[in-house]
């Protein structure tokens, strides 16, 4: 549930549901059984759907209203727009598809001045630096991670939340792309050269991508919450444009524990050095949990 | 709470929410933050409920994780259905009646020429017909007598069980429906793999049980779903079998060097001339090994290396001469094009008292090219030869100087549905009379 609004709605609803079901004060917490969890899970799922639907309607209403007040020619936020297809979003570049729709809510848009966070990340390669606490609206861009030469290309892909990632097969053989990352798992099945499958990256976090047929194929997708991210140079230096305010800056690299620091950004450059410790790639199994075996490719 | 009540509650919540009350936020990015912070004036019960939901969600996730089996088991397998037609009577050899062709071998009671397994019609290596050689009672599983025949080549059931991330148990059982004779059932099954693989490192495996071969490269494609074509090569009978024992394999120097070794009861052969047995008949075991280098080339790789085995032949007492094989193999895998070649020679001493067959594999080899034209269509070609003599004491001698040219194509609808067609011409050389044993064979593989 992405917004504050929906969170509050969910809390209110569940509070009402529970108070209705059990009005007496709790004296001793009952042990929670699996059935309780299942029941609550079902309730949560139903409530979420209802709330999401209502939030969408309210947003559409608000957007239309704001558009009428601020700019009679504006497009409502949820109206589908044609987006240019791109291979990978350029880091630190303004994302025309992310925050724009919400701007239409504003009568008098106020742009906070942009500051800069610059520094160096040591201890790892393929490093990305991003702002963890700036959440943009869901992106509609697409990115691509190919299967080529029994490898994922690029091996590391960073996308904004909501980006659709294409997985085209460029090899002469079949591949089966999958991920078992909790909350972001998917299984694209077997498909040959020339075919592609797409996955929408809905949750921020790191998604490890594998092939069920070729154990050496490992890819990493970092889904960042917003549009403020940048790839560090080969020497680890980076320069990230960030709106003024207090922010959480994260440095990430494959197989390294992310380094997090909080900074106060004004309209000046803030110096920030971070250290990562990159380890070996963890072993992984097939999608069904079985080891690959040594050489059954 | 009914859905209808829920809707009203949600609507109430939304209309009283801060966002609804404040339609314009100054910062578009922060507006969409996934903040879980409650407002200070929120009711304590609501905060408690939020915490409870978080806790329950966490427990749900844990419950989901715990539902995943710690020891996953996967059942898979395939069916290999075929049709074939051969020249002549379906057998690949003839008897040298009266020692007319090989008078210098008249010291043997029976002399045969050609190749008993020249008419292999499926990936198992079953011959279309084993002929009617005198003095032996062979289980001729197909016995087509030269008639075109539909055939269920093989049904397979494979069970894999993961024992953590570093250990895998794999078993594979083949079922072969065949015609019975003399009130004996012809159907049979064989356990062709039953191995426990332990991977102490990602590049090293230790196997125990009935394990795959380490000789050459053809064993990697010994099963119908993996093999590009249908029939095995003429030398596969010495290299693609499975044997009971221990095996280790490691990829070193960033996969540049591949080393494997095995200690097994017998050899990795499949030919039923006493060159291999499930259970050993003598104390001394067979040692096998392979060393190869692998050089990346573009998206593919070139791999080449020698391999061999040495040990007391099954059926021969301890202290007898050793049976040995050695050869070299090479493979250039460029993705769409895969070229492989192998050479093998070897000897098995045999034993007159126990009537154990002897082998003199003077030389044998093949070159095979597989090419993927489109994701659906692939073609293959193979050229090969085998120069060998197999004898049983002084009673029987099989003389083979055989060459074979094979062409075929494959339709790969998916990894689960494959159709293959192959045609082979068998020829003889070195003074061995020609045997009419060309064949055409097909295979439809349905894997699950």
């Amino acid at each position: 549930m992405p917004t504050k609004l929906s969170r509050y709605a969910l809390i209110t609803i569940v509070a009402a549901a529970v108070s209705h079901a059990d009005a007496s004060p709790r004296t001793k917490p009952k042990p929670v059984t699996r059935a309780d969890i299942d029941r609550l899970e079902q309730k949560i799922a139903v409530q979420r759907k209802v709330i999401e639907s209502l939030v969408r309607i309210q947003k559409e209403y608000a957007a239309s209203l704001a558009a009428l007040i601020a700019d009679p020619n504006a497009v409502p936020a949820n109206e589908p727009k044609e987006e240019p297809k791109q291979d990978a979003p350029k880091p630190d570049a303004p994302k025309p598809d992310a925050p724009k729709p919400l701007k239409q809510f504003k009568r008098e848009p106020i742009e906070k001045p942009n500051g800069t966070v610059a520094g160096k990340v040591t201890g790892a390669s393929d490093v990305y630096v991003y702002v963890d606490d700036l959440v943009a609206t869901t992106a509609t861009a697409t990115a691509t991670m190919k299967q080529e030469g029994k490898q994922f290309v690029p091996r590391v892909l960073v996308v904004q939340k909501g980006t659709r990632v294409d997985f085209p097969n460029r090899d002469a053989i079949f591949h089966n792309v999958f991920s078992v990352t909790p909350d972001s798992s998917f299984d694209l099945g077997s498909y040959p050269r020339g075919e592609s499958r797409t996955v929408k990256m809905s949750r921020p976090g790191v998604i490890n991508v594998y092939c069920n047929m070729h154990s050496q194929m490992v890819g990493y997708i970092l889904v960042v919450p917003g549009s403020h991210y940048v790839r560090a140079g080969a020497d680890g230096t980076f320069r990230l444009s960030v709106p003024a305010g207090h922010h959480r800056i994260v440095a990430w690299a494959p197989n390294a524990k992310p380094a997090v620091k909080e900074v106060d950004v004004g309209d000046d450059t803030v110096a920030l050095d971070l250290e990562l410790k990159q380890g070996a790639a963890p072993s992984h199994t097939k999608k069904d949990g079985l080891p690959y075996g040594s050489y059954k490719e | 709470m009914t859905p209808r009540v829920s809707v009203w509650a949600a609507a109430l919540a939304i209309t009283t929410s801060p966002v609804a009350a404040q339609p314009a936020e100054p910062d578009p990015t922060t507006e969409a933050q996934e903040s879980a912070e409650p407002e200070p004036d929120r009711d304590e019960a609501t905060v408690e409920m939020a915490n409870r939901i978080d806790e329950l969600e966490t427990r749900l996730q844990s419950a989901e994780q715990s539902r995943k089996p710690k020891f996953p088991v996967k059942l898979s397998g395939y069916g290999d259905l075929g049709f074939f037609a051969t020249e002549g009577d379906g057998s690949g050899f003839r008897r040298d009646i009266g020692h007319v062709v090989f008078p210098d071998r008249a010291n043997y009671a029976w002399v045969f020429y050609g190749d008993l397994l020249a008419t292999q019609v499926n990936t198992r290596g079953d011959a279309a017909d084993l002929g009617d050689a005198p003095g032996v009672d062979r289980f001729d599983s197909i016995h087509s007598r030269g008639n075109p025949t539909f055939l269920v080549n093989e049904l397979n059931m494979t069970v894999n069980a993961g024992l953590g991330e570093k250990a895998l148990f794999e078993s594979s059982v083949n079922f072969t429906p065949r015609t019975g004779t003399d009130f004996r059932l012809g159907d049979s099954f064989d356990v062709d793999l039953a191995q426990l693989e332990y991977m102490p490192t990602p590049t090293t495996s230790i196997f125990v049980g009935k394990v795959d071969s380490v000789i050459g490269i053809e064993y990697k494609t010994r099963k119908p779903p993996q093999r590009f074509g249908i029939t095995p090569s003429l030398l596969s009978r010495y290299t693609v079998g499975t044997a009971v024992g221990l095996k280790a394999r490691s990829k070193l120097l960033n996969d540049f060097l591949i080393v494997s070794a095995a200690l097994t009861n017998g050899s990795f052969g499949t030919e039923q001339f006493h060159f291999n047995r499930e259970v050993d008949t003598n104390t001394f075991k067979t040692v096998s090994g392979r060393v190869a280098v692998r050089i990346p080339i573009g998206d593919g790789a070139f791999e080449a290396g020698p391999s061999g085995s040495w040990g007391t032949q099954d059926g021969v007492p301890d202290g007898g001469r050793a049976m040995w094989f050695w050869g070299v193999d090479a493979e250039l895998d460029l993705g769409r094009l895969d070229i492989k070649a192998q050479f093998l020679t070897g000897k098995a001493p045999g034993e007159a008292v126990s009537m154990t067959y002897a082998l003199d594999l003077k030389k044998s080899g093949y070159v095979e090219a597989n090419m993927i034209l489109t994701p659906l269509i692939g073609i293959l070609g193979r050229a090969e030869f085998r120069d060998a003599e197999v004898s049983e004491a002084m009673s029987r001698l099989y003389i083979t100087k055989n060459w074979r040219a094979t062409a075929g194509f494959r339709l790969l609808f998916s990894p689960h549905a494959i159709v293959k067609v192959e045609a082979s011409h068998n020829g003889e050389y070195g003074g061995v009379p020609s045997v009419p044993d060309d064949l055409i064979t097909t295979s439809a593989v349905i894997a699950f």
Side-chain angles (χ1 to χ4, degrees), chain B residues 252-447:
Chain B
L252 308 169
L253 306 173
N254 199 21
D255 293 356
F256 172 74
L257 189 65
I258 301 165
V259 181
S260 45
L263 179 67
T264 53
N265 279 346
S267 75
F268 290 106
T270 57
E271 197 176 46
Q272 298 292 308
F273 276 132
H274 304 174
F275 304 138
N276 66 89
R277 280 175 63 101
E278 184 89 12
V279 181
D280 214 341
T281 58
N282 47 49
T283 306
F284 199 86
K285 306 304 169 200
T286 298
V287 183
S288 311
R290 178 173 180 261
V291 179
V293 293
R294 185 177 176 86
I295 302 163
I297 298 174
D299 290 343
F302 174 75
E303 183 178 322
S307 57
S309 66
W310 185 85
T312 307
Q313 182 184 357
D314 289 316
V316 173
D318 284 319
R321 282 179 299 153
M323 176 173 74
W324 58 266
F325 293 97
W326 80 268
V328 292
D329 59 75
E331 181 172 10
L332 177 64
D333 182 2
L334 299 175
R336 278 171 166 264
L337 178 65
D338 185 12
I339 301 171
K340 40 197 167 189
Q342 196 170 338
F343 172 84
L344 189 75
T345 183
K347 273 196 176 180
E351 218 269 327
V353 176
S354 59
M355 301 296 280
T356 302
Y357 278 88
L359 167 72
D360 182 7
L361 178 63
K362 293 166 185 169
K363 51 195 171 184
S364 61
Y366 71 83
V367 179
E368 179 175 328
N370 305 325
M371 189 168 187
I372 298 171
L373 298 179
T374 71
L376 174 68
I377 303 169
I379 56 172
L380 74 100
R382 186 176 64 217
E384 56 192 317
F385 75 100
R386 176 170 168 269
D387 182 354
E389 290 187 5
V390 176
S391 58
E392 184 191 43
M394 299 309 293
S395 65
R396 315 175 71 82
L397 174 65
Y398 294 85
I399 299 172
T400 301
K401 289 181 186 295
N402 194 25
W403 65 271
R404 183 158 74 180
T406 301
F409 69 90
R410 178 188 79 170
L411 301 176
L412 181 68
F413 298 100
S414 84
H416 307 287
I418 312 165
V419 172
K420 311 173 197 178
V421 178
E422 248 185 47
S424 292
H425 170 70
N426 283 299
E428 285 73 28
Y429 67 94
V432 176
S434 177
V435 177
D437 52 3
D438 294 351
L439 66 98
I440 183 165
T441 184
T442 64
S443 166
V445 182
I446 299 95

Side-chain angles (χ1 to χ4, degrees), chain A:
Chain A
M1 192 70 66
T3 65
K4 203 185 267 187
L5 162 69
S6 51
R7 188 83 190 189
Y8 290 145
L10 175 65
I11 290 164
T12 308
I13 288 158
V14 176
V18 172
S19 61
H20 183 266
D22 181 13
S24 62
R26 278 181 295 163
T27 51
K28 198 176 174 185
K30 251 182 3 181
V32 179
T33 63
R34 174 71 215 180
D36 291 333
I37 295 174
D38 286 343
R39 202 165 42 248
L40 265 168
E41 186 188 31
Q42 283 174 3
K43 274 187 183 173
I44 289 168
V46 169
Q47 303 301 345
R48 278 185 167 168
K49 278 183 183 169
V50 171
I51 291 164
E52 278 169 2
S53 167
L54 286 168
V55 167
R56 195 171 60 246
I57 293 165
Q58 195 202 29
K59 273 189 175 180
E60 281 174 12
Y61 170 73
S64 304
L65 197 64
L68 282 172
I69 294 168
D71 179 5
N73 298 321
V75 181
N78 285 30
E79 191 164 304
K81 288 190 295 182
E82 197 165 324
E83 293 290 341
K85 197 167 178 174
Q86 58 190 59
D87 269 1
K90 288 179 185 170
D92 207 24
K95 295 287 180 293
D97 52 315
K100 260 188 180 171
L102 280 177
K103 281 184 183 172
Q104 293 159 15
F105 284 97
K106 298 180 191 73
R107 207 171 297 169
E108 293 175 356
I110 301 167
E111 289 290 343
K112 282 189 178 177
N114 268 1
T116 303
V117 177
K120 189 171 184 177
V121 183
T122 55
S125 56
D126 279 330
V127 175
Y128 284 81
V129 181
Y130 65 96
V131 183
D132 188 41
D133 53 5
L134 291 181
V135 182
T137 51
T138 300
T140 55
T142 59
T144 301
M145 180 178 261
K146 295 181 286 186
Q147 302 136 63
E148 196 168 64
K150 292 185 187 173
Q151 297 293 336
F152 288 112
V153 181
R155 188 179 72 101
V156 180
L157 181 65
V158 180
V159 298
Q160 190 180 323
K161 189 183 80 168
T163 300
R164 291 177 180 276
V165 177
D166 293 331
F167 292 93
N169 183 355
R170 303 277 187 247
D171 275 336
I173 53 178
F174 277 75
H175 289 297
N176 180 171
V177 182
F178 76 96
S179 172
V180 290
T181 301
D183 293 334
S184 299
S185 61
F186 57 85
D187 176 12
L188 304 186
S190 303
Y191 54 96
R193 180 189 181 88
E195 288 190 16
S196 183
R197 303 279 190 274
T198 303
V199 177
K200 185 178 178 183
M201 300 299 161
S202 302
R203 285 175 181 266
V206 180
I207 299 172
N208 292 351
V209 182
Y210 306 113
C211 173
N212 200 48
M213 301 172 181
H214 306 100
S215 61
Q216 76 272 30
M217 291 177 68
V218 180
Y220 304 90
I221 299 176
L222 172 65
V223 183
V224 292
S227 58
H228 296 86
Y229 63 95
V230 67
R231 181 177 183 168
D235 59 353
T237 57
F238 70 92
R239 194 171 184 83
L240 179 62
S241 179
V242 182
H246 185 79
H247 295 297
R248 207 163 50 243
I249 309 296
V250 180
W252 171 87
N255 308 317
K257 188 182 175 188
V260 185
K261 272 193 182 172
E262 297 197 358
V263 293
D264 288 311
V265 181
D267 51 5
D268 216 347
T269 299
V270 178
L272 179 66
D273 288 340
L274 294 158
E275 189 178 350
L276 292 171
K277 194 173 177 185
Q278 201 160 28
S283 62
H284 66 280
T285 60
K286 290 183 173 185
K287 62 186 180 186
D288 48 20
L290 288 169
Y292 282 83
S294 61
Y295 49 97
K296 292 288 172 60
E297 293 186 352

Side-chain angles (χ1 to χ4, degrees), chain B residues 87-106:
Chain B
E87 269 191 314
D89 64 357
S91 69
F93 70 100
R94 296 289 184 270
R95 183 179 163 196
D96 180 15
I97 299 170
H99 300 289
V100 175
V101 183
F102 300 102
D104 55 327
R105 301 301 182 93

Side-chain angles (χ1 to χ4, degrees), chain B residues 33 41 88 90 116 154 208 222-223 301 318-319 335 342 354 365 386 433 440:
Chain B
Q33 275 192 33
D41 58 350
L116 205 67
E154 186 173 271
V208 60
R222 70 187 178 88
K223 306 298 282 181
D318 284 319
Q342 196 170 338
S354 59
R386 176 170 168 269
I440 183 165

Side-chain angles (χ1 to χ4, degrees), chain B residues 51-134:
Chain B
N51 292 336
R52 187 157 169 71
I53 288 172
D54 284 344
E55 183 200 335
L56 283 171
E57 283 186 336
T58 307
R59 292 179 67 172
L60 265 174
Q61 282 179 3
S62 303
E64 287 294 326
Q65 289 293 328
S66 65
R67 272 219 295 259
K68 291 180 182 168
K70 286 181 180 172
F71 304 108
V73 176
K74 185 183 177 187
L75 175 67
S76 59
Y78 60 83
D80 180 5
L81 318 174
F83 173 83
F84 68 86
T86 60
E87 269 191 314
D89 64 357
S91 69
F93 70 100
R94 296 289 184 270
R95 183 179 163 196
D96 180 15
I97 299 170
H99 300 289
V100 175
V101 183
F102 300 102
D104 55 327
R105 301 301 182 93
N107 49 338
Y108 286 92
W110 289 295
V111 175
F112 306 91
Y113 57 86
D115 186 347
L116 205 67
L117 300 181
T119 57
Q120 290 172 320
V121 295
N122 55 26
T123 306
R124 279 181 64 82
D126 292 332
D129 199 298
L130 289 179
D132 296 311

